[in-house]
Amino acid sequence: MPDSPTSDVRLLAPAQVAEILGVTVDEVMSLVEHRRLRGLRVGSPARWRVEEASIAEYLDEQAEEARRIALWRQSNEASFPELWGTGVLPQAD
C-alpha cells in the first residue's frame, strides 16, 4: 500500500499543545477556532487533535510578526534627513 498523504501527520491533544506553547488549553482551542493552528476532531467520541506541523508554522508566524513589529518601531524612531532634507525650507512670498 503506498504512503498516504496523512501517514506522516502527527496529531497532538490540546493539552500537549498547551504545554509546548506555554498557554492554556482554552487558548489552544481559540487558536484552532481562529485557524492559526490546524485542528480536527477524531475518534468516537470525537476529540480535538492538533497537527504537530502547524505548531512550528504558528511559531514561525509569531517570530516573523515580532520581527516586523520591531522593525516598524525602529523605523518610527529613526531620523531620515536624506529624505526630509537638512536645510531650511524656503519662505513662500
Side-chain angles (χ1 to χ4, degrees):
M1 178 179 204
D3 289 336
S4 67
T6 58
S7 64
D8 293 336
V9 175
R10 183 163 179 229
L11 301 174
L12 301 175
Q16 292 172 300
V17 177
E19 186 175 331
I20 290 168
L21 296 178
V23 298
T24 66
V25 173
D26 288 339
E27 289 172 306
V28 170
M29 293 313 301
S30 178
L31 290 169
V32 170
E33 290 171 9
H34 289 97
R35 300 177 190 252
R36 307 278 314 269
L37 292 173
R38 286 188 306 276
L40 59 146
R41 295 183 72 169
V42 296
S44 180
R47 296 176 192 236
W48 279 102
R49 295 295 181 254
V50 177
E51 288 184 31
E52 184 179 40
S54 73
I55 298 168
E57 293 166 9
Y58 170 74
L59 291 173
D60 288 344
E61 289 171 8
Q62 291 298 102
E64 177 63 15
E65 184 177 337
R67 184 188 73 81
R68 289 180 183 203
I69 288 171
L71 287 173
W72 181 81
R73 287 182 179 154
Q74 194 176 33
S75 71
N76 277 345
E77 295 171 4
S79 175
F80 296 102
E82 63 276 5
L83 298 177
W84 298 330
T86 57
V88 178
L89 294 175
Q91 296 281 331
D93 291 324

